[in-house]
Amino acid sequence: MLQNELKEIRTQLRLAMNGVISTSMREKGIVYKLNFGVPLPEIKQIAATHKPDSELAAALWKEDIRECKLLAAMLQPTGTFYPEIADIWVESMPNAEIAQHTVQNLFCRLPYASQKAYEWMASEDEMFQQCGYLILARLFMQGLRPNERSADEFLDQARTALHASLPVRRAAVSALQKYQTLDEAAREAGEKILRETGI
């Protein structure tokens, strides 16, 4: 049953293949073992034809194929996605594109999203840091207000992250900008950090 569904998904992806997009991504340094170049709206349409299922999502995630990883995040039910599985997914994340879409379609909807964001933000690993800031950016957009201790921790970590690699820096700046929309004090605190680092 699972194998049949995976086969059907591969067929759907082949039919929606776009060589121009996959070539353009490769030229920009976004490399996958296999990239069909399927545009995001079409990937969403394919996801809509399948029922969310954790076994299917796990099998798709294991594939080193861009579209399979994007579909995995769309088809993984939040109720059966445990914190330790989230860690495993981040460990095997190939690049910023997958990080962004996995956060958007799955991570920011998890009941423990905020807890993981703070844990990952403080990690030594840059992919974990990136995902942590991307989750916080989404949660701040949804109106999440951190308590004073959490806010201080976020601002301290973000200050350090602004000197990290470009993907981490981008994610941290995005989280800071969303944090600034919460209230005047947050706006000023974020502004101060961005000014200090000349961003």
Side-chain angles (χ1 to χ4, degrees):
M1 174 69 197
L2 176 66
Q3 287 313 315
N4 290 348
E5 199 160 2
L6 285 169
K7 204 168 145 191
E8 187 192 329
I9 286 171
R10 279 200 199 94
T11 304
Q12 288 176 299
L13 291 174
R14 277 201 186 90
L15 291 172
M17 204 165 157
N18 184 322
V20 176
I21 291 176
S22 76
T23 304
S24 159
M25 288 174 87
R26 209 170 27 253
E27 284 166 359
K28 288 180 185 128
I30 306 169
V31 182
Y32 295 90
K33 185 173 148 199
L34 192 53
N35 179 354
F36 290 105
V38 180
L40 216 56
E42 289 183 46
I43 295 173
K44 284 181 179 156
Q45 284 171 357
I46 292 171
T49 65
H50 298 272
K51 235 172 69 188
D53 176 84
S54 47
E55 200 186 350
L56 174 62
L60 286 165
W61 185 262
K62 283 186 187 117
E63 300 275 347
D64 192 7
I65 300 171
R66 170 183 173 262
E67 290 76 6
C68 288
K69 289 206 186 298
L70 294 172
L71 281 166
M74 294 174 188
L75 293 171
Q76 171 62 52
T78 53
T80 51
F81 196 73
Y82 305 111
E84 54 277 15
I85 305 173
D87 290 335
I88 292 166
W89 276 36
V90 179
E91 278 166 15
S92 60
M93 232 166 234
N95 57 43
E97 183 195 20
I98 298 297
Q100 270 175 337
H101 291 293
T102 305
V103 165
Q104 183 183 331
N105 294 310
L106 177 61
F107 289 173
C108 72
R109 297 187 295 113
L110 297 167
Y112 51 84
S114 172
Q115 177 197 331
K116 273 292 170 205
Y118 281 94
E119 180 191 313
W120 290 348
M121 188 177 62
S123 165
E124 291 293 303
D125 183 282
E126 294 206 333
M127 187 54 83
F128 278 96
Q129 289 174 30
Q130 198 179 330
C131 288
Y133 289 113
L134 289 171
I135 291 172
L136 284 176
R138 293 241 150 224
L139 295 178
F140 294 150
M141 264 166 73
Q142 293 161 15
L144 171 88
R145 287 174 177 276
N147 62 31
E148 197 179 336
R149 204 175 121 243
S150 297
D152 288 345
E153 186 189 341
F154 162 66
L155 293 167
D156 281 349
Q157 294 286 358
R159 186 180 276 112
T160 307
L162 295 178
H163 302 285
S165 69
L166 186 61
V168 174
R169 213 161 57 230
R170 276 193 184 138
V173 167
S174 172
L176 271 169
Q177 288 170 336
K178 302 296 184 285
Y179 174 72
Q180 287 181 282
T181 63
L182 294 176
D183 56 41
E184 189 54 31
R187 192 190 68 72
E188 285 172 12
E191 193 59 49
K192 183 170 179 274
I193 290 172
L194 292 169
R195 215 175 28 245
E196 279 170 16
T197 43
I199 289 175

